[in-house]
Amino acid sequence: MEIKLDQSSLPADQQHIRFQIVLQELYGIWHEGIYIADEDIFKVSDEVWYDLWSEIVRWEPINREIGPY
């Protein structure tokens, strides 16, 4: 079975978000970063990022303007 994301449910490019990853979901650990649309990643820093397709369990917007932080 193929799973397809509804593109309209994704954050806007460069939107600030908080999110959980698969391995830390049960511990209630959240991360903050920005969504990079052309790479489908949630970026925390230049060295730390998570793949939307394999690592992200849930996300929600942070009440900040769109753009780098």
Side-chain angles (χ1 to χ4, degrees), residues 3-32:
I3 298 174
K4 293 184 179 182
L5 287 177
D6 177 359
Q7 295 295 323
S8 68
S9 71
L10 296 177
D13 187 36
Q14 300 292 316
Q15 183 174 6
H16 291 266
I17 49 158
R18 73 181 218 133
F19 60 93
Q20 287 185 305
I21 61 172
V22 172
L23 297 176
Q24 297 173 339
E25 175 187 20
L26 295 176
Y27 302 103
I29 298 171
W30 288 81
H31 301 272
E32 290 187 11

Side-chain angles (χ1 to χ4, degrees), residues 14-16 34 62-69:
Q14 300 292 316
Q15 183 174 6
H16 291 266
I34 58 172
I62 294 176
N63 196 13
R64 294 186 192 165
E65 292 182 22
I66 295 172
Y69 55 128

